[in-house]
Amino acid sequence: MIKQDLIPPPTTNFPCHRIRSLFPALHEEPQLTFFDNGAGAQVPQGVMDAIHDHLLHRNVQRGGRYNRSVEVDAAIARARESVAILINAREADEIAFGMNATTFLRLLSLAIGRTLETRNEIVVTDLDHEANIATWLQLEREGATIVWWKMREDHNLHVEDLEPILTSRTRLVACTVASHALGSLVDVVAVARLAHAAGAEVVLDCVHFAPHALIDVQAFDCDYLVCSGYKIFGPHMGFLWGRLELLKALPTFREEFIPDAPPGKIEAGTFIFENVAGFAAAIDYLETLGAKLGENEITTPASRRAALVHALGSIREYETALSFEMIEALRSSGTIIYGIDDVDRLHARVPTFCFRHPNVAPALLTDTMAERGIGIRDGHMYAPRLMKRLGVSLDTGVNRASLVHYNTIEEIQEFGNVLRDIVRGRQAG
């Protein structure tokens, strides 16, 4: 068990309870302690208002000359600019909107598959979501050779294991920024440095990282990045970022009357405009949070990007306290934690925990938690190769509890109490 004096207090000026008041779903009856944020986060009222406003006032197709259609074009342009600021893109036209990260990964793989020549090696990992593995495996039919960058027994990817498998034939490296199952972070800056030195490109899955810390495509030095807005306090939608020169050269499907230039060449067909408007409102929420967190400091954020830097930095600090508390709760019940469980290495993870109790089946644990008003998840987490490495059956899988900044220390403590009750009940039986 972790000694209490080793657990730092939550950030004292982080207004978690005020933040929770902005999320209506957190106050629905019957009350639910929501620890399934890795599957999709809740949305603040402002996001719902933006979706409703769009459907009420401008539920029309873009590209027309009348006012409502012009307003749709303006709303999309604003959303594109907001996402560019969120991820520190150089130009808004580097952002394409669509359904989700999985769809964009498939679009990328289809396009890149048409450009394979002597550089035909694609590096994938056994830590990633299946969406960032299977889509690249499909390119074996196009002549690609798949090279595996494998986790070590500590359940982490080590960059020093990547360098020996990069060659003059490497076309790209596809990896996650944060594991959706284990919460482990990957040193993607080092990945990009090594890949580019070998003449390869880097595709990042940023879906699970995005709610927890600051995205910076320029600092990451990646070439493509995919993300899903519904993990970042928005509605169901996704976006792709790519270096503008690469997107221009990418051979994608498009209708003849659409210019062969990004972002239009990437956005085949009509995406869900109201959800894009809702995601812009989710970014507004984070900006406002960052600005308000700076009100009592010497200076307030000087720009929209500065407000986002402040917000995500504060979230990262607060969530470290959540991770401390969750490790305490899991360890105190004799639960196996997969991934980083060292309290001195919390900088290398986000508050997503993959675990299993030796005496309690994952499905039973999830069902019992649900009966006690706590929502967690069980199963293979869309990561069959990871489950195999963990020595876990796909039929039973693991449990996962995933937290974000509107979760509280008190919720984790109650989770720990329920977990210990379940374990004691199984032992008594």
Side-chain angles (χ1 to χ4, degrees), residues 117-410:
E117 294 179 354
T118 56
R119 281 190 175 272
N120 67 339
E121 293 180 354
I122 296 176
V123 177
V124 297
T125 89
D126 54 1
L127 177 67
D128 272 72
H129 192 289
E130 184 68 6
N132 203 25
I133 300 174
T135 190
W136 302 110
L137 295 181
Q138 291 293 310
L139 294 189
E140 289 181 304
R141 297 180 300 187
E142 309 299 326
T145 298
I146 303 299
V147 179
W148 288 91
W149 175 19
K150 294 188 176 182
M151 296 187 310
R152 293 189 187 176
E153 293 306 311
D154 65 359
H155 306 153
N156 289 287
L157 292 171
H158 291 256
V159 176
E160 53 266 38
D161 298 334
L162 174 63
E163 188 169 13
I165 63 176
L166 296 173
T167 73
S168 60
R169 297 177 63 85
T170 306
R171 176 67 173 82
L172 65 86
V173 178
C175 72
T176 189
V177 185
S179 169
H180 71 290
L182 307 184
S184 308
L185 297 176
V186 178
D187 185 355
V188 295
V189 174
V191 170
R193 183 177 67 250
L194 292 174
H196 291 159
E201 295 173 350
V202 176
V203 177
L204 295 181
D205 174 355
C206 206
V207 172
H208 200 74
F209 178 83
H212 304 291
L214 187 69
I215 304 174
D216 190 332
V217 294
Q218 295 189 51
F220 290 173
D221 197 26
C222 52
D223 299 289
Y224 302 98
L225 180 146
V226 298
C227 207
S228 292
Y230 62 94
K231 307 295 179 76
I232 324 173
F233 320 110
H236 283 83
M237 54 77 68
F239 65 86
L240 163 73
W241 168 85
R243 295 182 187 274
L244 192 62
E245 63 274 17
L246 296 179
L247 294 179
K248 286 179 178 179
L250 204 65
T252 59
F253 165 80
R254 65 183 180 85
E255 295 160 317
E256 280 300 320
F257 48 82
I258 295 176
D260 189 17
K265 64 177 288 188
I266 312 294
E267 297 170 342
T270 299
F271 50 84
I272 305 174
F273 304 146
E274 61 268 26
N275 284 3
V276 170
F279 185 55
I283 298 173
D284 290 344
Y285 156 75
L286 290 171
E287 285 183 38
T288 301
L289 174 60
K292 288 186 178 297
L293 288 171
E295 284 179 349
N296 297 323
E297 300 185 6
I298 296 174
T299 59
T300 56
S303 66
R304 296 180 65 190
R305 175 67 182 177
L308 289 166
V309 170
H310 198 165
L312 273 301
S314 299
I315 285 171
R316 182 86 172 111
E317 181 182 356
Y318 173 71
E319 288 184 351
T320 299
L322 298 183
S323 291
F324 267 92
E325 193 71 28
M326 181 58 85
I327 289 176
E328 163 75 353
L330 292 170
R331 280 184 173 174
S332 66
S333 65
T335 300
I336 299 167
I337 302 173
Y338 299 101
I340 296 169
D341 62 354
D342 182 348
V343 296
D344 293 324
R345 296 193 60 227
L346 294 183
H347 63 280
R349 64 141 51 246
V350 297
T352 295
F353 292 87
C354 178
F355 60 94
R356 180 174 180 142
H357 195 280
N359 300 326
V360 187
L364 176 62
L365 181 59
T366 303
D367 284 340
T368 310
M369 283 282 179
E371 292 170 0
R372 298 284 292 271
I374 299 173
I376 63 171
R377 184 165 289 267
D378 65 272
H380 52 62
M381 305 302 146
Y382 304 97
R385 292 166 178 81
L386 174 60
M387 295 300 110
K388 183 177 180 180
R389 288 297 309 276
L390 299 179
V392 171
S393 166
L394 291 182
D395 293 332
T396 56
V398 294
N399 290 107
R400 184 183 70 178
S402 46
L403 287 66
V404 293
H405 68 281
Y406 52 59
N407 292 122
T408 67
I409 297 291
E410 293 79 12

Side-chain angles (χ1 to χ4, degrees), residues 22 48-49 64 77 81 86 138 148-149 169 275 318 419 422:
L22 303 176
M48 290 186 258
D49 291 343
E81 180 65 28
L86 174 68
Q138 291 293 310
W148 288 91
W149 175 19
R169 297 177 63 85
N275 284 3
Y318 173 71
L419 181 58
I422 294 170

